[in-house]
């Protein structure tokens, strides 16, 4: 997508600001923010300060406008495309019609290799393969895996359970066509951030429960896993930390409007009764995130069911950090840990 002159200027300005000495960055960001026994990372606080100055709201207006803003603003923080990574367009057949996807292959990766079936975040309403292009590239290169990034259907045009259906169809396609994709069918993971983490968790549950092919690993990055209940972290971090309480309400009202049972495990996988037999998982949460507590409850339920799980709270970060790879250092550090967990989880 072509970017406007204003957007290019903003991108350069962001790089210059994040390249300033620490003292100057602290002056711009303001005094350290401490809340719930945690201190916000300077990189995160500076990013939030720039967001406040720009007065950009993630969910203001219609879904169409929100999607356009995500595309236009993403390059400000995602960084230059990570190379060398080859891409190939893929079409996944599904009951309702084809689902587009992109296959990322890092240079020099042998075949067959492990695969991550990746679902982008965005509250099931915004976001796309394009908005998460560099996140997919990063996981491909740093974890040494192929990545299949899925363009699942978005709400409100396609409300629940459309995204879930596409996610399961994408995993099934990856497993069935593993040889064509250059993939080891026994080493396929599902993963995603935020709403994408929700879809990954649901896909793991659905495929495990039905028997047969199921993922070998789950990469769940600050996932939303319970749409039926408010938790303490949602109250504490209701505003001022990128994802807000108002944003969450806007997203879920579009994806699961009146009449949808929000306790359905395909929407709220935390409420599934039996976690036995689910694949091993890496669950990451962000300390300053409304979704923090439900993600950590999910990890606890996996552990209680005997599922190998690593829970990693990035105490000083905010929601969405895998999309901020182009600014500062702290966001890459956290994403690098997730890539390492993926590599380890899919080792032969």
């Amino acid at each position: 997508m072509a970017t406007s002159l204003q957007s290019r200027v903003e991108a350069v300005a962001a790089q210059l600001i994040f390249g300033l000495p620490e003292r100057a960055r602290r002056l711009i960001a303001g005094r350290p923010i401490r809340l719930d026994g945690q201190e916000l990372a300077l990189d995160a606080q500076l990013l939030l300060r720039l967001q406040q100055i720009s007065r950009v709201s993630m969910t203001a207006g219609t879904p169409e406008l929100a999607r356009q803003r995500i595309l236009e603003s993403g390059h400000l923080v995602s960084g230059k495309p990570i190379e060398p990574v080859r891409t190939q367009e893929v079409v996944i057949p599904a009951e309702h019609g084809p689902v587009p996807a992109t296959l990322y292959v890092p240079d020099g990766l042998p075949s067959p290799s492990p695969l991550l079936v990746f679902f982008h975040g965005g509250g099931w309403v915004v976001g796309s393969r394009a908005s998460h292009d560099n996140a997919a590239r990063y996981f491909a290169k740093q974890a040494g895996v192929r990545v299949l990034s899925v363009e699942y259907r978005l709400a409100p045009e396609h409300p629940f359970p459309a995204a879930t259906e596409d996610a399961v169809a994408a995993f099934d396609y990856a497993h069935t066509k593993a040889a064509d994709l250059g993939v080891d069918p026994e080493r396929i993971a599902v993963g995603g951030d935020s709403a994408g983490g929700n879809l990954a968790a649901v896909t793991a549950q659905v495929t495990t429960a039905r028997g047969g092919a199921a993922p070998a690993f789950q990469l769940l990055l600050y996932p939303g896993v319970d749409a039926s209940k408010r938790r303490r972290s949602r109250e504490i971090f209701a505003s001022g930390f990128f994802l807000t309480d108002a944003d969450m309400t806007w997203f879920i009202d579009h994806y699961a409007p009146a009449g949808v049972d929000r306790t359905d495990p395909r929407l709220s996988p935390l409420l599934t009764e039996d976690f036995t037999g689910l694949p091993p998982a890496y669950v990451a949460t962000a300390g300053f995130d409304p979704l923090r507590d439900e993600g950590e409850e999910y990890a606890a339920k996996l552990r209680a069911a005997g599922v190998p799980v690593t829970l990693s709270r990035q105490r000083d970060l905010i929601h969405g950090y895998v999309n901020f790879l182009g600014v500062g250092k702290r966001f890459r550090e956290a994403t690098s840990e997730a890539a390492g967990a993926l590599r380890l989880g899919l080792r032969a």
Side-chain angles (χ1 to χ4, degrees):
M1 178 179 174
T3 56
S4 67
L5 176 59
Q6 179 181 345
S7 294
R8 292 196 295 271
V9 170
E10 289 174 347
V12 172
Q15 291 299 319
L16 289 173
I17 290 170
F18 273 89
L20 291 171
E22 181 177 348
R23 185 175 179 183
R25 285 183 283 129
R26 172 55 69 191
L27 286 172
I28 296 171
R31 298 179 64 179
I33 294 175
R34 298 181 178 92
L35 191 57
D36 199 31
Q38 308 168 134
E39 181 173 324
L40 189 63
L42 176 56
D43 282 347
Q45 190 172 341
L46 186 58
L47 181 63
L48 292 173
R49 178 60 178 152
L50 296 179
Q51 182 192 33
Q52 291 167 357
I53 293 171
S54 68
R55 298 181 181 178
V56 174
S57 171
M58 184 161 49
T59 57
T62 65
E64 292 80 5
L65 287 173
R67 291 166 192 161
Q68 183 178 346
R69 275 196 304 275
I70 289 290
L71 281 177
E72 289 177 347
S73 63
H75 72 283
L76 298 176
V77 291
S78 63
K80 295 180 180 179
I82 293 167
E83 300 289 0
V85 178
R86 293 182 287 110
T87 61
Q88 174 188 336
E89 295 305 295
V90 175
V91 177
I92 299 168
E95 227 175 89
H96 67 84
V99 176
T102 301
L103 181 67
Y104 295 81
V105 184
D107 191 47
L109 184 69
S111 177
S113 75
L115 173 75
L116 169 66
V117 181
F118 182 77
F119 309 112
H120 67 78
W124 310 279
V125 178
V126 301
S128 63
R129 288 176 292 164
S131 69
H132 284 63
D133 175 69
N134 237 17
R137 290 173 177 272
Y138 190 88
F139 284 121
K141 187 173 181 180
Q142 297 301 319
V145 301
R146 283 169 165 79
V147 174
L148 185 67
S149 183
V150 182
E151 197 80 67
Y152 57 86
R153 288 172 291 169
L154 298 178
E157 298 88 343
H158 306 284
F160 171 83
T164 296
E165 294 168 350
D166 291 355
V168 174
F171 170 78
D172 287 343
Y173 172 84
H175 189 270
T176 301
K177 298 293 184 179
D180 296 340
L181 298 172
V183 167
D184 178 353
E186 301 303 314
R187 291 191 290 161
I188 299 177
V190 289
D193 69 313
S194 193
N198 169 279
L199 296 176
V202 171
T203 299
Q205 289 189 2
V206 169
T207 54
T208 299
R210 75 183 181 191
F217 189 75
Q218 305 176 73
L219 185 74
L220 309 181
L221 307 171
Y222 39 88
V225 289
D226 187 1
S228 72
K229 179 181 175 182
R230 300 177 67 91
R231 287 171 173 78
R232 179 172 172 271
S233 59
R234 182 163 175 177
E235 305 299 337
I236 298 173
F237 308 110
S239 63
F241 298 101
F242 185 65
L243 178 67
T244 68
D245 176 60
D247 291 335
M248 292 177 66
T249 298
W250 190 86
F251 285 133
I252 195 62
D253 285 350
H254 280 96
Y255 183 52
V260 172
D261 177 9
R262 293 186 178 179
T263 66
D264 187 324
R266 294 172 300 163
L267 175 60
S268 299
L270 180 62
L271 304 184
T272 296
E273 291 185 5
D274 187 4
F275 277 56
T276 305
L278 287 172
Y282 171 85
V283 181
T285 61
F288 291 78
D289 184 355
L291 290 175
R292 183 192 70 188
D293 291 355
E294 62 192 77
E296 295 182 1
E297 283 187 37
Y298 198 80
K301 286 194 73 171
L302 287 169
R303 186 174 293 113
V307 177
V309 58
T310 296
L311 170 63
S312 178
R313 180 193 288 191
Q314 304 296 321
R315 298 175 59 85
D316 57 349
L317 290 186
I318 56 176
H319 189 87
Y321 62 76
V322 301
N323 286 312
F324 309 146
L325 298 174
V327 290
K329 297 179 180 179
R330 183 65 189 94
F331 306 120
R332 276 197 179 231
E333 288 174 354
T335 308
S336 177
E337 179 187 290
L342 178 63
R343 178 189 287 270
L344 186 63
L346 291 177
R347 65 182 177 181

